[in-house]
């Protein structure tokens, strides 16, 4: 899932959430969220599940709903 960071960033932006707010909701570090969104760090399964839950987006639908552009 190389584009998952872009998908997360777009879904976060559409919900009006800052990186800090999403990290808090997902219980992940802001540093990790930033690195995943930048494409510098690969997301773990736990990260994808936590962020999907925090964004209220199905894990499997995350990148299908928010395709990389």
């Amino acid at each position: 899932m190389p584009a998952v960071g872009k998908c997360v960033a777009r879904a976060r932006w559409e919900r009006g959430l800052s990186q800090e707010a999403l990290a808090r909701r997902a219980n992940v570090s802001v540093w990790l969220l930033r690195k995943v969104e930048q494409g510098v760090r690969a997301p773990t399964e736990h990260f994808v599940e936590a962020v999907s839950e925090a964004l209220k987006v199905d894990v499997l639908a995350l990148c299908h709903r928010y395709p990389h552009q």
Side-chain angles (χ1 to χ4, degrees), residues 11-63:
R12 176 181 61 74
W13 179 82
E14 287 182 352
R15 285 163 176 73
L17 294 171
S18 66
Q19 288 178 326
E20 292 80 6
L22 178 55
R24 208 172 21 255
R25 285 185 182 190
N27 198 29
V28 299
S29 74
V30 176
W31 179 86
L32 177 59
L33 178 60
R34 284 185 182 138
K35 294 301 178 188
V36 171
E37 285 190 359
Q38 293 168 355
V40 174
R41 182 95 190 215
T44 63
E45 183 177 329
H46 169 74
F47 175 89
V48 173
E49 289 173 358
V51 169
S52 295
E53 185 174 316
L55 290 169
K56 302 204 181 330
V57 176
D58 182 78
V59 173
L60 298 176
L62 185 61
C63 278

